[in-house]
Amino acid sequence: MNSTKRTGLGGVEDTLRNFWETRPVRPLAGGKVGGVAAAIGVRYGIDPILVRVAFVLAALYGGAGLVLYLLGWLLFPKEGDPAPGSAEPTRQPTSTALAVVLVVLLVPVVFWLTSSPSIIGLALGLGALYLVHRNYGDRGVAPAAPTPADAPQPTVPVTDNTWVYPGSAAVTAPPNETPQQTPPAWDPLGAAPFAWDLPEPNEPEEPEPQRPRRRWISFATLGLAAFFGGLAATLGARPDIALAIALGVLGLGMIAGAFLRGGRGLIGAAIPVGALAMLLAVVPPDGITGGLGNEEITPSSIEQVQPHYQRSAGSLVLNMQDLRIADGQELRTGAKVGFGDILVRVPPKVDVTARCAAEIGGVQCLRDSADGRRAERSVVDQGDDGPGGGNLVLDLTVGAGNVEVIRG
């Protein structure tokens, strides 16, 4: 029987309506943060660990997973205490205070989804949830109340010492005749007539056969991830892009494994690949070298200013506020930090041409600022006194951190 017949779903509109009416409920126990992943796992019979990994993978693609998680936290009801006289837990809507907090968090996160990977990740996440509901929408839902045709029939009254089969009509004996007694199936010899009025014992239901876990999914997905990641690197893609492609293949394998009961071994591979992809994504394209720790440089003359400063990790402070640059003279310098901050203090009257960039972080380039992923600003500032006082050209880059250029 196909899934459409099992779930009673028709087109897209019927599927979406059914999803909203039977959407997952955030459980009181078993959830980590908000219970969204646990709610989806319980509703569709999927391992919550796989759901959490899927959210993390989607978050790596421009923050799409974070948006989907906050939406689930906002729209999925919470499991409440059972109503009086009922054993079923109630569905409680998200509290007003929490809903306001979630909406406030969603506004800046949604505006952050400006890159193609984030939009693709959001579309893939919503599409995966649609397909899961389409195929497994009948799981985790309480059975419907019996219809009148299926409702149990009223018990037929019988006379004393008369046994009838369940569901059959009692036979009224003619006057002056003794009613005929028929032994039940469990006592064909009629050895225990005193217990014939007991109900028929139900035969134990055979347990559903456990489907074997398909371990080949993990090996096949790992092979495909290595192939496509290596192919991308061979074609000249950056290491973080190649790892992102491999991570996407691992994510597709875990989604397929959720349907086919396999692929749990991919979790251990996806976590380090995702972490390494994020690490390499913030490294400048030409790499980073240099020392570690904090360093402050205060040159007293133009000759002491190096053409370039570089640190692998830490903070770099370049204090040139007391430096004298003659009219018509130009000084060029730059700095690059892998993980950390750059702060440059420029003389109050010098003309400044600066480029400030951060792969992940924020830049404050004199009077212009930006933050987020690949934040960059280029400014030309002649100071409050207008043109004159020499020209200072800066090129400043950090992988993950902040860049700041200030006067004085």
Side-chain angles (χ1 to χ4, degrees), residues 22-402:
T22 63
R23 61 192 185 277
V25 179
R26 295 182 286 115
L28 293 175
K32 299 299 182 182
V33 179
V36 177
I40 295 175
V42 172
R43 172 64 178 84
Y44 300 110
I46 303 173
D47 193 333
I49 296 179
L50 292 177
V51 181
R52 294 187 181 102
V53 172
F55 274 116
V56 172
L57 293 177
L60 297 179
Y61 286 87
L66 181 58
V67 173
L68 293 172
Y69 199 91
L70 291 176
L71 284 175
W73 199 346
L74 177 66
L75 300 178
F76 292 170
K78 182 180 180 180
E79 180 182 348
D81 296 329
S86 174
E88 293 294 329
T90 57
R91 296 160 61 98
Q92 301 292 333
T94 305
S95 64
T96 303
L98 179 58
V100 171
V101 173
L102 293 174
V103 170
V104 171
L105 292 175
L106 272 169
V107 170
V109 174
V110 169
F111 281 106
W112 193 25
L113 299 179
T114 56
S115 62
S116 298
S118 61
I119 297 174
I120 293 174
L122 186 63
L124 288 176
L126 294 175
L129 184 58
Y130 174 84
L131 292 176
V132 167
H133 184 79
R134 185 79 180 174
N135 288 275
Y136 297 100
D138 58 338
R139 296 184 179 181
V141 179
T147 59
D150 300 331
Q153 301 296 325
T155 305
V156 180
V158 297
T159 58
D160 293 339
N161 299 325
T162 301
W163 185 92
V164 295
Y165 287 99
S168 64
V171 179
T172 305
N176 301 325
E177 289 189 15
T178 305
Q180 179 67 29
Q181 297 184 6
T182 304
W186 58 268
D187 188 18
L189 300 178
F194 58 87
W196 288 359
D197 57 340
L198 296 177
E200 288 278 358
N202 294 326
E203 294 184 2
E205 295 183 1
E206 294 185 3
E208 281 190 26
Q210 292 288 336
R211 291 183 294 174
R213 293 191 177 274
R214 295 173 170 82
R215 303 196 177 195
W216 60 265
I217 297 176
S218 298
F219 297 106
T221 304
L222 287 172
L224 290 174
F227 172 77
F228 285 106
L231 180 62
T234 303
L235 295 177
R238 288 177 46 181
D240 60 311
I241 300 298
L243 286 173
I245 292 174
L247 189 62
V249 175
L250 293 176
L252 293 175
M254 283 187 284
I255 293 175
F259 291 96
L260 302 176
R261 293 181 59 83
R264 290 198 63 175
L266 298 174
I267 299 174
I271 292 175
V273 171
L276 185 58
M278 289 187 64
L279 180 65
L280 294 179
V282 302
V283 176
D286 53 350
I288 55 174
T289 57
L292 302 174
N294 303 328
E295 183 179 10
E296 182 172 357
I297 302 168
T298 307
S300 57
S301 64
I302 294 178
E303 290 74 16
Q304 294 180 353
V305 177
Q306 298 180 13
H308 192 72
Y309 299 92
Q310 195 154 304
R311 308 288 291 174
S312 295
S315 65
L316 176 64
V317 178
L318 183 58
N319 188 356
M320 298 187 293
Q321 60 181 345
D322 297 327
L323 208 61
R324 297 292 180 264
I325 304 176
D327 288 344
Q329 189 176 21
E330 183 178 270
L331 174 62
R332 289 179 174 269
T333 187
K336 180 186 297 182
V337 172
F339 303 92
D341 303 319
I342 298 176
L343 171 62
V344 178
R345 298 179 181 272
V346 300
K349 297 182 179 182
V350 72
D351 297 341
V352 178
T353 301
R355 173 187 171 272
C356 308
E359 287 292 319
I360 294 180
V363 297
Q364 180 68 45
C365 212
L366 292 174
R367 299 177 182 177
D368 205 355
S369 63
D371 58 73
R373 183 170 176 78
R374 290 189 172 87
E376 183 174 345
R377 287 292 183 268
S378 296
V379 300
V380 176
D381 188 285
Q382 296 176 339
D384 296 334
D385 61 339
N391 189 25
L392 177 60
V393 180
L394 301 173
D395 188 3
L396 312 171
T397 302
V398 297
N402 301 290

